[in-house]
């Protein structure tokens, strides 16, 4: 998945397409009326459907040598990408195993190693059969019959479902204009090259843009803070090393990073273990003593959530005031780190006069950012701040891996920029064993196998993603800065989008964005909500139309690594699509033909014919082969043919040298991709902005990293009413909301809120009690987990559980997004971890899952009574 690099407005291509489509209401009615659905220039095409869903083949239990073995990969936005090996009996997958070394070229059972490590699946991946064949699997199109959100649907034919959608789309576009449909496609399927969901490169954006009605969502929930920060500082988001380089570090500072739970690469843990074996010291800065901390016997520094930038400023103070910085590195590569590295133009710019060192030393505000100053804010003893700063400045090479959660905050970008300043002042950028992450994107994959041309990213307005509800509820009385409107180069600049419909493709965003109660109000105002997914989801419950999508076992594709890893995994169609499901690409192509006949259909999917909805295998193969031969073999120097790749199932790249971000900048003097060619601690872009309301940020952002107090935190007066700070990290047992309904995984965990033992005692709360958490935005009910491993004042509740409302609007499942706030940080970061709330024992009903039979038993082993 990518974030936007070059915003694209209407293109000459696009104008031409729209003219040829001439999508007036009349021409649309003509197209559809011609034949209950499909009768474009190419003639009538009959809709055909796959077979009915198949049951498990339990009997007779097939032996291994009776099964066919197919190499494929796991999917989704889970932090990694691993091989799954499907063992199938006829058209049913009866077992899943994983990489054991033998599937690659020159491979054999057990082959493993540093260069070409095995890609071994985690528990989630290995449980995939339960998702594939789950009771919640969506097998045919459905239309809503009850109120929105009531969850009442009836089965309809594809033709009925698509006719419903096309009519509404044309109505919305004609009545409310080109901003009327909101693209909420996300990363559920970003890591395939053909059947892709994504904000930028995805199939939905291309489809809605070409249709001529698309409001886009530009900020990413994961890491918008560090995306913007890395663009300002380094000029790119490719600031990541490959994981094997961590094995070379002497000091590993894991800042808000818990790879034992939250994956960031497939073999991270293995390489970190190698580092440990070689004597690397580990430090963890996190409100929780995590499993990563215990696995590496790390020095745990508990910190008040959202105060990281202050602690980092305290470290910088110690480094500067003891002259521990790498001054040679600073002088050569940095801009604005200190008075000596200020650009010549700086004094002319109101926001550009300050340098970082003088800010840290207190020259501008009379407040030196000493370790003692920092300690009062972040709660970490000053002596520990000094000790860590000393270790970091004196150990070479040292990796400060600044993960994303501490940036998923109010002013999260300041944390990310402050981290970059520390990495730079210690000279740990571009060096093996050092680290500039950040975003952490390492090796670059060829990621798109369908046309990625001038049509690829057309949009008519683009807003900060989690302001859609605010926009809908307040339209037209919304200021552009409230929704972070991306500037446009034409006369529509600043126009507030009139959103009347939403498409979800590869996203469960209704369940995953901030402030769900506000979303619930907003969605009632919409006229069209379409959910494309392979299972029923909590978002789907709020849709008007559910379209069944074939999973990655049921279509042909190639899998990409996540942010780390350098390999491709072939994903053949392992089984036929279940029920009546179709691929996203089939659905959009069919919709394009219905909306605009051959002109739209062919432009959207040039290799396909009118019958693609029924026959897609050869077309998909042609796209993939072209991608492999044109991009992978040609651009990436791969000598394996497409047919051989399909035979082996995986291609693992051997890199000439370990992949270290910015190595050439440091070693060969290649300029950084910033305007100045330097590491911009003072950002040229920010220093030269006068009217912030005209930028996508909307609000002022200092041009150097600074500590800014978040809206809510343990230091805020609001703690009188809501004394606990809630953070919501990512779950080990789910990929966000995916796998929530997997019974095998649920046996191993419970969605529960973690609380410090002393806090629990004060409140009379015991392990396993059911509690309610609330603030002004909502209320959720969950069991409680009492531990010393979480710092006082902090609660931890994992994101992604499937919401389950009672009649009073209380969430019985414990989804933290009923408590989160939809105010994004100026740079676009979702403030998921900026939440105050309260907690007490409750008699309210708790429901651990939609399927009560799959209730977890984990709590039985944890009760202390
Ligand atoms: N198993 C699993 N892995 C995943 C995912 C998943 O859903 N499941 N999702 C993937 C995706 S899309 C993403 S974006 C990444 C997210 O990756 P991260 O952002 O790194 O992960 P989180 O789990 O949110 O948080 C990591 C740690 O940060 C700590 N933390 C929270 N707030 C603060 C703070 O204010 N300060 C400090 N110092 N620490 C804090 C938490 O206690 C937690 O231990 O993970 C990816 N990997
Ligand atoms: N409180 C709190 N909330 C958070 C976070 C947090 O830290 N705290 N983290 C946020 C982050 S970083 C993220 S990335 C988001 C994730 O938010 P989402 O992306 O909404 O989460 P997923 O559960 O991964 O949903 C992806 C959906 O895509 C579907 N899908 C998978 N493959 C396909 C396909 O091929 N086609 C189609 N049409 N659908 C497919 C899946 O079935 C699933 O329903 O959550 C965010 N929410
Ligand atoms: S869920 Fe992610 S980490 Fe687990 S096996 Fe699948 S790809 Fe790998
Ligand atoms: Mo994410």
């Amino acid at each position: 998945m990518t974030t936007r690099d070059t915003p694209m407005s209407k293109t000459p291509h696009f104008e031409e397409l729209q003219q040829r489509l001439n999508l007036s209401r009349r021409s649309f009615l003509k197209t559809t009326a011609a034949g209950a659905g499909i009768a474009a220039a190419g003639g009538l095409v009959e809709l055909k459907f796959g077979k009915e869903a198949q049951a498990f083949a339990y009997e007779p239990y097939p032996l291994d040598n009776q099964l066919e073995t197919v190499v494929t990969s796991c999917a989704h936005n889970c932090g990694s990408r691993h091989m799954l090996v499907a063992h199938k009996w006829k058209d049913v997958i009866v077992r899943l195993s994983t990489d054991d070394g033998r599937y690659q070229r020159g491979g054999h059972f057990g082959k493993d190693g540093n260069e070409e490590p095995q890609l071994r699946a985690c528990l989630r991946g290995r449980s995939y059969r339960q998702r594939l064949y789950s009771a919640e699997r969506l097998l045919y199109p459905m239309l809503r019959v009850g109120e929105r959100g009531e969850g009442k649907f009836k089965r309809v034919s594809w033709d009925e479902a698509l006719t419903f959608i096309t009519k509404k789309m044309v109505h919305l576009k004609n009545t409310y204009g080109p901003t009327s449909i909101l693209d909420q496609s996300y990363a559920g399927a970003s890591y395939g090259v053909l059947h892709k969901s994504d904000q930028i490169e995805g199939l939905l954006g291309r489809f809605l843009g070409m249709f001529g009605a698309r409001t886009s969502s530009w900020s990413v929930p994961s890491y918008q803070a560090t995306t913007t920060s890395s663009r300002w500082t380094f000029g790119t988001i490719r600031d990541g090393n490959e994981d094997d380089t961590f094995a070379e570090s002497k000091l590993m500072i894991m800042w808000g990073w818990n790879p034992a739970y939250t994956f960031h690469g497939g073999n991270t843990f293995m390489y970190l273990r190698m580092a440990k074996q070689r004597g690397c010291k580990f430090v963890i800065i996190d409100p929780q003593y995590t499993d990563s901390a215990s696995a590496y016997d790390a020095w745990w520094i508990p910190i008040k959530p959202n105060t990281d930038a202050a602690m980092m400023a305290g470290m910088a103070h110690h480094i500067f005031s003891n002259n521990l910085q790498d001054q040679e590195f600073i002088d050569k590569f940095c801009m604005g780190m200190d008075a000596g590295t200020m650009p010549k133009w700086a004094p002319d710019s109101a926001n550009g006069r300050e340098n970082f060192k003088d800010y840290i030393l207190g020259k501008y505000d009379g407040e030196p950012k000493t370790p003692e100053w920092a300690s009062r804010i972040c709660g970490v003893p000053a002596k520990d701040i000094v000790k860590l700063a000393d270790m970091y400045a004196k150990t070479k090479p040292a990796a400060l891996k600044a993960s994303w959660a501490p940036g998923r905050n109010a002013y999260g970008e300041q944390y990310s920029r402050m981290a970059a300043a520390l990495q730079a002042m210690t000279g740990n950028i571009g060096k093996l064993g050092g680290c500039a992450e950040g975003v952490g994107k390492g090796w670059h994959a060829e990621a798109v196998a369908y046309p990625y041309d001038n049509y690829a990213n057309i949009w008519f307005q683009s807003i900060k993603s989690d302001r859609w509800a605010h926009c809908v509820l307040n339209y037209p009385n919304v200021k552009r800065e409230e929704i972070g409107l991306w500037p446009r180069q034409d006369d529509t600049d600043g126009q507030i989008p009139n959103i009347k419909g939403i498409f979800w493709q590869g996203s469960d965003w209704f369940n995953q964005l901030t402030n769900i109660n506000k979303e619930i109000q907003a969605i009632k105002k919409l006229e069209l909500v379409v959910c494309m997914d392979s299972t029923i989801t909590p978002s789907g419950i709020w849709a008007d139309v559910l379209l069944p999508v074939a999973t990655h076992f049921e279509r042909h594709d190639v899998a990409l690594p996540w942010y780390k890893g350098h390999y491709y995994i072939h994903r053949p169609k392992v089984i036929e699509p279940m029920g009546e499901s179709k691929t996203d690409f089939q659905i959009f192509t069919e919709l394009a033909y219905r909306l605009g006949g051959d002109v739209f259909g062919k432009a959207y999917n040039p290799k396909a014919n009118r019958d693609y909805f029924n026959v897609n295998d050869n077309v998909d193969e042609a796209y993939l082969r072209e991608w492999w031969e044109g991009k992978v073999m040609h651009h990436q120097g791969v000598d394996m043919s497409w047919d051989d790749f399909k035979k082996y199932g995986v291609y693992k790249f051997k890199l000439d040298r370990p992949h270290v971000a910015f190595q050439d900048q440091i070693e060969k003097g290649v300029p950084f991709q910033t305007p100045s060619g330097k590491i911009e601690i003072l950002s040229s872009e920010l220093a030269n902005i006068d009217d912030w309301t005209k930028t996508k940020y909307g609000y002022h952002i200092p041009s150097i990293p600074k500590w800014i107090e978040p809206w809510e935190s343990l230091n805020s007066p609001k703690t009188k009413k809501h004394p606990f700070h809630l953070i919501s990290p990512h779950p080990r047992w789910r990929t966000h909301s995916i796998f929530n309904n997997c019974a095998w995984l649920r046996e191993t965990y419970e969605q529960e809120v973690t609380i410090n033992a002393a806090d629990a005692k004060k409140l009379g709360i015991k392990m396993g009690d059911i509690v309610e958490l609330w603030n002004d935005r909502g209320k959720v009910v969950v069991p409680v987990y009492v531990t010393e491993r979480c710092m006082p004042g902090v609660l931890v509740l994992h994101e992604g559980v499937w919401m389950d409302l009672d009649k009073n609007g209380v969430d019985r499942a414990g989804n933290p997004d009923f408590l989160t706030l939809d105010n994004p940080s100026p740079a676009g970061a979702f403030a998921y971890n900026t939440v105050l709330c309260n907690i007490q024992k409750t008699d309210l009903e708790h429901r651990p899952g939609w399927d009560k039979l799959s209730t977890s038993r984990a709590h039985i082993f944890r009760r202390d009574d």
Side-chain angles (χ1 to χ4, degrees), residues 403-480:
S403 198
W404 304 340
R408 230 176 272 119
N409 284 334
Y411 307 106
E413 59 272 13
Q414 299 306 328
Y415 150 79
S416 301
R417 299 189 71 208
M418 201 66 90
L422 283 175
Q423 291 159 343
M425 78 174 69
T426 55
N428 275 304
I429 290 172
K431 311 243 172 93
L432 183 63
C435 178
E437 303 172 19
V439 175
K441 194 161 176 24
W443 178 80
H444 190 61
E446 288 290 348
V448 188
Y450 52 85
Y452 197 62
D453 50 21
N454 278 348
Y455 296 133
N457 192 17
I458 295 162
W459 48 272
F460 301 89
Q461 288 300 344
S462 187
I463 61 171
K464 282 181 184 167
S465 314
D466 64 347
R467 288 307 258 176
W468 78 269
H470 183 86
C471 185
V472 168
L473 288 170
N474 297 290
Y475 180 85
N477 302 314
V478 182
K479 293 205 187 83
R480 66 182 295 167

Side-chain angles (χ1 to χ4, degrees), residues 74-75 78 80-82 121-122 124-125 263 735 739:
C74 190
C78 64
S80 192
R81 191 72 49 240
H82 292 113
C122 79
R124 289 171 290 169
F263 283 57
T735 299
F739 300 113

